[in-house]
């Protein structure tokens, strides 16, 4: 398979235009069309639907996309292996992560990653949306929610259980819940995406309906109002680690349930080859989180 044609296919998927791909590669639109047709003949399938204004991937094109990236990345890695001048991570690293976790735990790593790897660029997308990482060309997705079955590769980075917490001022005024039943008496600050609070009891998941006067789709909003003393919140440990360490929030322990055992995961496209830019980021994130979780544990 001609790797130049594979690389051209990737440019087309990024620009969604044969004309724009031609401009980026500094070749004619006719040459782009000819090389794409050659790749399609090689594979025996149509990869792209062409119109007068834009192009879109066929189902076969979507299925080929992660393999195309793997082929190009493997070639880049092989060349770098024998080139002393390119031992650092290079290329565009595309990351997606939950907004609250990303702002606190990924953004602070970016300056050092870029400083240590002059040929590296980073596109960080912070969103609560679960995106199609293959279709959008994402190198690595950071996930905290329980993982669903998929063809993606999951690498555990660190533990991140759900915890309930409140400010000292709130607990002094309203008292401290000791069991699940006590939560009924409290104002519970809720994430819109988690309508019930989740615990574990004897290895089984327990979902508890709670009431409160405030909910948000944003972790930072729930955490801020919790710090201000408006109620009790259930978030993950890494969402409130700093506030608990500083005493702004107190982690609560209920006698009849355990926190749900979640983890921070790195999800990768289903390829064997892992580009250096991806492994460098995962190693950096893992090393930044591992010591802290031990210090924050009970």
């Amino acid at each position: 398979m001609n790797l130049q044609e594979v690389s051209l296919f990737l440019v087309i998927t990024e620009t969604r235009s044969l004309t724009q791909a031609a401009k980026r590669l500094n070749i004619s639109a006719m040459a782009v069309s000819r090389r794409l047709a050659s790749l399609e003949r090689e594979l025996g399938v149509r990869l792209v639907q062409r119109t007068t204004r834009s192009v879109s991937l066929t189902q076969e094109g979507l299925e080929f996309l992660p393999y195309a990236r793997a082929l190009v990345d493997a070639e880049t890695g092989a060349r770098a292996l024998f080139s002393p001048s390119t031992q650092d991570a290079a290329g565009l690293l595309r990351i997606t992560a939950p907004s609250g976790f990303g702002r606190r735990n990924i953004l602070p790593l970016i300056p050092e990653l870029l400083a240590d790897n002059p040929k590296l660029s980073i596109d960080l997308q912070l969103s609560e949306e679960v995106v199609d990482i293959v279709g959008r060309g994402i190198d690595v997705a950071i996930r905290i929610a329980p993982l669903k079955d998929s063809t993606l590769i999951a690498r555990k980075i660190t533990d991140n259980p759900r915890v309930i917490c409140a400010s000292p001022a709130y607990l002094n005024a309203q008292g401290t819940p000791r069991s699940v039943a006590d939560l009924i008496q409290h104002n519970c600050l809720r994430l819109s995406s988690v309508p019930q609070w989740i615990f574990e009891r004897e290895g089984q998941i327990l979902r508890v309906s709670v009431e409160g006067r405030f909910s948000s789709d944003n972790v930072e909003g729930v955490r801020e109002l919790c710090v201000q003393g408006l109620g009790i919140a259930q978030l993950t440990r890494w969402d409130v680690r700093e506030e608990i360490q500083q005493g702004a929030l107190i982690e609560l322990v209920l006698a009849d349930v355990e926190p749900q055992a979640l983890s921070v995961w790195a999800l990768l496209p289903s390829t064997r080859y892992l580009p250096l830019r991806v492994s460098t980021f995962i190693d950096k994130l893992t090393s930044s989180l591992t010591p802290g979780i031990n210090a924050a544990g009970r």
Side-chain angles (χ1 to χ4, degrees):
M1 192 177 300
N2 188 317
L3 287 178
Q4 288 186 340
E5 294 174 354
V6 176
S7 297
L8 178 140
F9 168 72
L10 292 179
V11 174
I12 292 173
T13 64
E14 293 172 1
T15 61
R16 300 289 177 173
S17 165
L18 299 185
T19 302
Q20 292 302 317
K23 289 181 179 180
R24 181 181 296 188
L25 297 171
N26 197 27
I27 59 177
S28 69
M30 182 66 71
V32 169
S33 181
R34 187 170 58 250
R35 292 182 186 179
L36 175 60
S38 175
L39 178 61
E40 290 177 327
R41 285 195 302 271
E42 174 73 21
L43 293 172
V45 295
R46 192 173 185 85
L47 299 173
V48 171
Q49 297 284 8
R50 304 157 177 81
T51 68
T52 55
R53 294 185 177 182
S54 64
V55 299
S56 60
L57 294 182
T58 63
Q59 182 60 39
E60 291 78 9
L62 288 170
E63 293 173 354
F64 178 61
L65 187 55
Y67 296 99
R69 291 197 179 97
L71 287 169
V72 173
D73 285 339
E75 181 197 27
T76 302
R79 293 180 184 277
L81 182 64
F82 302 105
S83 176
S85 63
T86 57
Q87 291 298 312
D88 296 332
L92 176 59
L93 173 64
R94 299 178 178 90
I95 309 166
T96 180
S99 57
F101 182 88
R103 289 189 182 97
R104 281 207 159 186
N105 300 291
I106 296 179
L107 274 177
L109 306 180
I110 301 302
E112 189 171 350
L113 277 169
L114 294 177
D116 291 344
N117 303 278
K119 296 185 178 181
L120 178 68
S121 300
I122 297 175
D123 175 16
L124 175 61
Q125 301 174 19
L126 300 179
S127 171
E128 312 311 320
E129 179 186 2
V130 178
V131 302
D132 174 11
I133 72 173
V134 174
R136 294 197 183 182
I138 302 295
D139 291 301
V140 55
I142 302 302
R143 293 282 181 265
I144 295 173
L147 300 180
K148 298 180 180 180
D149 292 337
S150 74
T151 59
L152 302 177
I153 297 171
R155 294 194 176 187
K156 181 178 175 179
I157 294 180
T158 189
D159 294 324
N160 191 31
R162 295 188 196 272
V163 299
I164 55 173
C165 55
S167 70
Y170 177 87
L171 297 175
N172 288 335
Q174 303 298 330
T176 301
R178 304 297 180 184
S179 67
V180 168
D182 292 344
L183 295 176
I184 299 175
Q185 309 300 324
H186 290 270
N187 185 42
C188 296
L189 311 172
R190 295 169 295 147
L191 285 170
S192 305
S193 58
V194 189
Q196 296 175 309
W197 283 7
I198 306 173
F199 302 93
E200 292 186 10
R201 176 185 286 166
E202 298 179 353
Q204 301 297 315
I205 295 297
L206 176 67
R207 300 179 184 274
V208 178
S209 296
V210 296
E211 298 296 332
R213 298 174 60 196
F214 176 80
S215 64
S216 174
D217 64 350
N218 187 277
V219 166
E220 293 167 323
V222 172
R223 180 178 58 228
E224 178 61 26
L225 290 190
C226 190
V227 169
Q228 292 183 21
L230 270 70
I232 297 175
Q234 184 184 64
L235 298 169
T236 66
R237 189 183 301 281
W238 279 100
D239 291 326
V240 292
R241 180 181 65 98
E242 294 180 11
E243 285 74 15
I244 290 175
Q245 288 180 338
Q246 296 165 1
L249 292 175
I250 297 175
E251 181 178 347
L252 306 178
V253 178
L254 302 182
D256 51 351
V257 291
E258 296 289 334
Q260 184 187 18
L262 299 180
S263 299
V264 178
W265 297 90
L267 292 189
L268 310 164
S270 54
T271 61
R272 290 186 177 183
Y273 174 74
L274 188 64
L276 180 60
R277 64 179 182 272
V278 177
S279 59
T280 298
F281 165 70
I282 292 176
D283 290 345
K284 187 76 170 178
L285 180 61
T286 301
S287 63
S288 72
L289 296 181
T290 303
I293 196 69
N294 294 332
R298 283 179 282 181

